[in-house]
């Protein structure tokens, strides 16, 4: 079965979509990479070159850099990110509440939205996901400019996992995430693209998940 065929068949089978809006730029620059199961080395860096009409033919260079310990965000991180965006929309956007830092959520509700099991290993995966979303840097520049990388951003500014201690020594009663200003722009309507979370969660192939 081809990847496109798999997406089409899953889409047809599900008649009640659950759309989640995702930042267009984050997907366009290839922030999430398909895991290479044959390579045990974690990828730390990749460069994406984009040529768009809005930029009048200039080539934008995007460099994505991650620490060696955690590596670049993968399809598994995309799954949790979509579930997180779904949570943000339901808690804030649909109720027209202001989005203030920090954002709190439980690992249980994130795993449920991501259609993942509630085993202890997946709770550890959420912790690593939070760290990876904070530590991965996206650097923007122009290939034909004298200075490349004029802006460097991340998705999360700070994270505290459940039961980790705050500065005052008190343990966290949930997961806490401080969104970066760049990430807060996710809720700006004209910068979003809709993805059907139900269809995504039913896909088995990681490449198909990135194509959806």
């Amino acid at each position: 079965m081809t990847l496109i065929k798999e997406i089409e068949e899953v889409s047809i089978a599900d008649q009640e979509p659950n759309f989640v809006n995702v930042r267009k730029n984050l997907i366009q620059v290839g922030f999430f990479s398909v895991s290479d199961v044959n390579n045990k080395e974690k990828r730390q860096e990749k460069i994406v070159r984009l040529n768009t009409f809005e930029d009048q033919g200039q080539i934008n260079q995007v460099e994505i850099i991650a620490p060696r310990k955690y590596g670049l965000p993968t399809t598994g991180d995309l799954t949790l990110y979509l579930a997180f965006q779904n949570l943000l929309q339901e808690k804030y956007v649909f109720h027209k509440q202001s989005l203030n830092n920090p954002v709190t959520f439980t690992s249980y509700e994130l795993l449920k939205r991501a259609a993942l099991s509630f085993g202890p290993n997946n709770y550890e995966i959420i912790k690593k996901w939070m760290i990876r979303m904070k530590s991965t840097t996206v650097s923007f520049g122009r290939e034909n400019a004298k200075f490349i990388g004029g802006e460097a951003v991340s998705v999360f500014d700070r994270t505290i996992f459940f039961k980790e201690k705050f500065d005052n020594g008190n343990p966290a009663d949930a997961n806490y995430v401080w969104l970066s200003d760049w990430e807060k722009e996710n809720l700006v309507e004209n910068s979003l693209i809709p993805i059907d979370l139900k269809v995504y969660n039913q896909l088995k192939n990681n490449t198909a998940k990135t194509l959806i």
Side-chain angles (χ1 to χ4, degrees):
M1 180 185 299
T2 65
L3 299 178
I4 300 300
K5 184 68 173 178
E6 179 184 357
I7 294 174
E8 290 176 346
E9 290 189 357
V10 172
S11 300
I12 293 172
D14 196 325
Q15 299 299 322
E16 297 181 1
N18 178 20
F19 286 109
V20 54
N21 289 325
V22 184
R23 182 175 174 80
K24 187 186 301 182
N25 288 346
L26 200 66
I27 301 299
Q28 187 180 32
V29 302
F31 184 81
F32 301 98
S33 304
V34 178
S35 303
D36 186 357
V37 295
N38 297 319
N39 188 359
K40 295 182 180 180
E41 292 280 336
K42 290 185 174 70
R43 293 183 62 191
Q44 293 179 256
E45 181 181 1
K46 70 176 179 180
I47 295 176
V48 180
R49 291 178 174 84
L50 304 173
N51 193 351
T52 62
F53 175 78
E54 291 82 359
D55 296 313
Q56 301 177 347
Q58 295 191 58
I59 299 177
N60 290 328
Q61 177 169 299
V62 182
E63 189 173 8
I64 304 172
I65 308 169
R68 181 187 300 274
K69 182 176 180 179
Y70 296 100
L72 292 172
T74 64
T75 312
D77 297 304
L78 173 58
T79 299
L80 292 174
Y81 179 74
L82 290 177
F84 179 73
Q85 288 294 101
N86 181 252
L87 183 150
L88 284 182
Q89 289 177 195
E90 187 172 302
K91 280 190 173 182
Y92 298 97
V93 180
F94 295 160
H95 296 284
K96 297 182 179 180
Q97 296 184 22
S98 59
L99 180 56
N100 298 316
N101 280 325
V103 174
T104 63
F105 62 94
T106 66
S107 296
Y108 173 84
E109 63 181 333
L110 194 67
L111 290 173
K112 184 177 181 180
R113 292 169 189 269
L116 298 174
S117 67
F118 303 114
N121 184 55
N122 280 340
Y123 284 83
E124 183 64 23
I125 286 175
I126 289 179
K127 182 177 181 179
K128 291 180 179 179
W129 167 75
M130 291 169 60
I131 296 173
R132 196 150 35 232
M133 298 299 286
K134 174 188 179 299
S135 60
T136 302
T137 302
V138 182
S139 179
F140 297 94
R142 297 191 186 278
E143 191 176 60
N144 56 350
K146 292 182 179 179
F147 181 69
I148 294 178
E151 180 184 11
V153 295
S154 60
V155 179
F156 297 162
D157 277 346
R158 185 186 181 191
T159 63
I160 294 181
F161 191 67
F162 175 58
K163 290 187 177 180
E164 289 182 341
K165 292 184 179 180
F166 290 102
D167 295 338
N168 60 10
N170 294 330
D173 57 349
N175 300 318
Y176 284 70
V177 165
W178 283 257
L179 303 178
S180 67
D181 290 339
W182 185 62
E183 173 62 10
K184 285 182 180 180
E185 296 175 5
N186 287 343
L187 301 182
V188 179
E189 186 175 351
N190 61 3
S191 69
L192 302 176
I193 54 175
I195 293 178
D196 190 339
L197 190 59
K198 287 186 177 181
V199 171
Y200 176 90
N201 285 337
Q202 293 179 60
L203 295 174
K204 304 301 180 184
N205 187 286
N206 285 334
T207 304
K209 289 183 175 182
T210 59
L211 287 175
I212 192 170

